[in-house]
Amino acid sequence: MSTFDTELVDRFEALYGGGRALAHVHAPARSEIAGNHTDHEGGHVVAGALDVSIEGVAALNGTSTVRVASDGYEPFELDLTDLEPRVAEQVSTAGLVRGMAHELQLTGRTPQGFDLVMTSDIPGGSGLSSSAALELAVGRVMETLWEGDPVTPTAMAQAAQRAENVYFGKPCGLMDQLSEALGGIAHIDFADPANPVSEKLDFDFADKGYALCLAYMGTDHSVSTADYAAVPGEMQSVAAEFGCTRLCEVPIEDFDGHVNELRAKLGDRAVLRALHYYIENRLVVERWDALCAGDIDAFLDLTRRSGASSGMYLQNVANGGTDQPAMVALALAERLLGDEGAVRIHGGGFGGSIQAFVPLDRVDSFIAGMDGWLGEGNCRSYRISNEGAYAQWL
């Protein structure tokens, strides 16, 4: 065992006792590399698992109760004899654990009580999808401890998405869970949501002379909930005009032929956001091709164009008013980089995080500059991790 595993085992035994077979679980965070608000419209994304993760150890305890202890949170217990969703457990770790137990039961497993100790170095509130990592960590633990057939990364990701939708109460897409389940850099096509098509690439930005940096604005996401919801809402209102549910079902030629009517009925912003979808969806494929070809210059150029589309057409960088933290962060990052690298909004947008591809010889000064403006520790560099979520016996 590694020193890290030994420390986890020691903590586990101090809390719950020893003498049992232990499983180690790993679930990484993720970064959206390409595809800003394309997944919910059945489009393409490129996402990468990161070198920050949830780590844990678990063992069966011979009861019907799950006991969970995680750094920074109050320990809790959960009875597995009732796996129905509970309103009181929405937006809670307990809700996610109950939801994953329900999902793993559907694979033919018999739920059994276990003890789980976890720690995480995923920055809180940073937009790196720690909730999906938690779902996958719990799911892989249950897969390992409860006898049954192996669960594929796609099936585990879909189970995690359903748990988050139904038990946690968040209507998320599948990108976060699937990219963390797969590991590495993955290109995912969501045209068929029941059967997303994915492929992985072994790629390290450092090999091409760049670091992936993320800067977090430290704002309260709840104030932008309505702004987030309006993005898919307006895109799908355009699709509905063609009798469709998502923009992937509407050929661009049909959209082009009805722009004037759409503007008159739905307003300009809905039309602009639909235009972003078509532009960004094409740019995702082109960026994936550039990564596969090892052409970092083409990738960076396309990333800059993606960032411009998000700011101008998708409009998820600023929502008006005097508070525009994401726009300020992008401008400051571009000021530090000048004509080098690339910057773009990351994830949902508005007050979340921005992404920058920074030349390796400028990483330290870039992080110091961004931290000076945003606060110590709000900007850091990440590496792509080729390992997706897994659990294995120690």
Side-chain angles (χ1 to χ4, degrees), residues 144-159:
T144 301
L145 297 181
W146 302 347
E147 185 176 349
D149 294 331
V151 182
T152 67
T154 298
M156 186 64 78
Q158 290 170 327

Side-chain angles (χ1 to χ4, degrees), residues 59 61-62 69-71 185 195-196 241 245-246 273-274 293 307 332 344 353:
N61 60 25
S70 183
D71 278 350
I185 290 183
N195 298 287
E241 292 299 307
T245 58
R246 301 175 301 161
R273 284 176 163 166
L332 292 171
R344 63 188 282 272
S353 57

Side-chain angles (χ1 to χ4, degrees), residues 80 83-85 97-107 111 142 146 167:
L80 295 175
L83 298 182
E84 290 300 310
V97 173
R98 195 180 302 276
M100 291 307 295
H102 173 264
E103 290 295 327
L104 269 293
Q105 183 182 51
L106 296 178
T107 69
M142 293 172 178
W146 302 347
Y167 286 77

Side-chain angles (χ1 to χ4, degrees), residues 51-318:
D51 59 346
V52 289
S53 62
I54 291 174
E55 306 289 334
V57 292
L60 292 171
N61 60 25
T63 74
S64 62
T65 299
V66 173
R67 300 187 294 183
V68 179
S70 183
D71 278 350
Y73 298 91
E74 285 295 318
F76 69 90
E77 298 185 2
L78 183 147
D79 184 0
L80 295 175
T81 57
D82 177 9
L83 298 182
E84 290 300 310
R86 299 185 180 186
V87 173
E89 289 181 349
Q90 289 194 343
V91 198
S92 74
T93 302
L96 292 177
V97 173
R98 195 180 302 276
M100 291 307 295
H102 173 264
E103 290 295 327
L104 269 293
Q105 183 182 51
L106 296 178
T107 69
R109 288 170 162 80
T110 300
Q112 302 172 68
F114 60 89
D115 301 325
L116 171 62
V117 170
M118 294 184 292
T119 188
S120 172
D121 61 353
I122 303 172
S126 56
L128 303 186
S129 199
S130 58
S131 59
L134 175 62
E135 294 150 17
L136 292 169
V138 171
R140 288 302 186 197
V141 162
M142 293 172 178
E143 176 196 25
T144 301
L145 297 181
W146 302 347
E147 185 176 349
D149 294 331
V151 182
T152 67
T154 298
M156 186 64 78
Q158 290 170 327
Q161 180 196 21
R162 289 190 294 268
E164 186 156 345
N165 292 168
V166 177
Y167 286 77
F168 193 76
K170 179 181 177 181
C172 66
L174 185 60
M175 178 185 71
D176 297 347
Q177 291 85 354
L178 186 51
S179 63
E180 293 178 0
L182 289 168
I185 290 183
H187 172 218
I188 310 168
D189 181 353
F190 288 109
D192 181 355
N195 298 287
V197 178
S198 62
E199 54 182 327
K200 285 181 61 174
L201 177 67
D202 184 3
F203 186 91
D204 190 339
F205 288 102
D207 292 341
K208 300 296 180 180
Y210 288 86
L212 165 62
C213 294
L214 297 170
Y216 173 55
M217 275 73 77
T219 53
D220 180 3
H221 288 196
S222 64
V223 301
S224 298
T225 298
D227 297 305
Y228 291 126
V231 174
E234 291 181 6
M235 288 184 176
Q236 289 157 19
S237 72
V238 173
E241 292 299 307
F242 298 89
C244 301
T245 58
R246 301 175 301 161
L247 284 175
C248 69
E249 303 162 18
V250 182
I252 183 64
E253 297 80 12
D254 291 356
F255 172 84
D256 289 343
H258 293 81
V259 166
N260 291 338
E261 299 99 306
L262 292 168
R263 290 181 64 198
K265 184 172 183 178
L266 302 176
D268 283 347
R269 193 173 70 174
V271 171
L272 283 167
R273 284 176 163 166
L275 281 166
H276 165 80
Y277 166 78
Y278 291 114
I279 293 168
E280 174 71 343
N281 205 41
R282 173 177 53 81
L283 289 174
V284 173
V285 176
E286 292 178 0
R287 273 175 282 175
W288 176 252
D289 290 343
L291 290 175
C292 290
D295 189 344
I296 191 65
D297 291 332
F299 171 82
L300 293 172
D301 178 62
L302 294 164
T303 297
R304 297 183 198 104
R305 291 164 59 186
S306 165
S309 182
S310 291
M312 293 188 297
Y313 309 140
L314 182 62
Q315 298 181 19
N316 70 330
V317 175

